[in-house]
Amino acid sequence: WSSDVCSSDLAGHPPALAIIPQMAPIRVLQVGLGPIGAAVARLVVKRPGLSLVGAVDVDPAKAGRPLGAVLGVSPSLRTPVSADIASAVRAMRPDVVLHCTSSSLETVWPQLRTILAAGIPIVSTTEELAYPWRVQRPLAVRTRPCQRRCHR
């Protein structure tokens, strides 16, 4: 986009979104409903093009409750929060998992492995994933085969 193009140059043309074919919403599974995960999930609910299909949290105060009630948003989000990642991935069939459970790669690796084994891309707030070879080299090397399988 260059600065020498102005809106008058586009007069008579349909808005860009009008000519882009409608895509199905991206199905999102939220893993972790602590303060950060819940905030991320609330943003997903508000974002056009995304559909929050479920959530996972091991907290007994959240697991089993309707997702909308846990997040304090739309009561129409009646899907119960799951306590098990594998069953949630199978049941919800997400396009992507938003993962917000811990900062430690060693702690979250079993969770990530379960998701990656299902071939689901992950976006995670785990800080050690930014450059895992620095702090968790042996574990970082073990994640590579899973990462390759997940790339579509």
Side-chain angles (χ1 to χ4, degrees), residues 102-143:
S102 174
S103 299
S104 163
L105 179 55
E106 188 172 10
T107 300
V108 304
W109 173 239
Q111 300 165 358
L112 300 178
R113 185 178 56 223
T114 298
I115 299 161
L116 290 169
I120 310 295
I122 302 169
V123 177
S124 181
T125 59
T126 301
E127 289 94 340
E128 289 184 1
L129 279 173
Y131 195 75
W133 299 272
R134 182 153 195 125
V135 292
Q136 295 283 349
R137 182 173 294 278
L139 192 50
V141 170
R142 286 180 28 212
T143 68

Side-chain angles (χ1 to χ4, degrees), residues 96-100 121-125:
V96 66
V97 168
L98 300 182
H99 178 269
C100 306
I122 302 169
V123 177
S124 181
T125 59

Side-chain angles (χ1 to χ4, degrees), residues 19-87:
I19 57 175
I20 297 173
Q22 287 294 87
M23 293 177 49
I26 297 169
R27 298 173 53 82
V28 176
L29 176 66
Q30 176 66 47
V31 175
L33 290 172
I36 294 171
V40 169
R42 285 186 205 99
L43 289 173
V44 169
V45 169
K46 294 178 184 177
R47 182 78 184 217
L50 299 178
S51 174
L52 186 61
V53 296
V56 178
D57 199 289
V58 295
D59 180 352
K62 296 173 185 165
R65 291 185 53 215
L67 181 53
V70 171
L71 296 176
V73 297
S74 172
S76 65
L77 271 173
R78 288 180 277 233
T79 303
V81 174
S82 176
D84 180 67
I85 294 173
S87 63

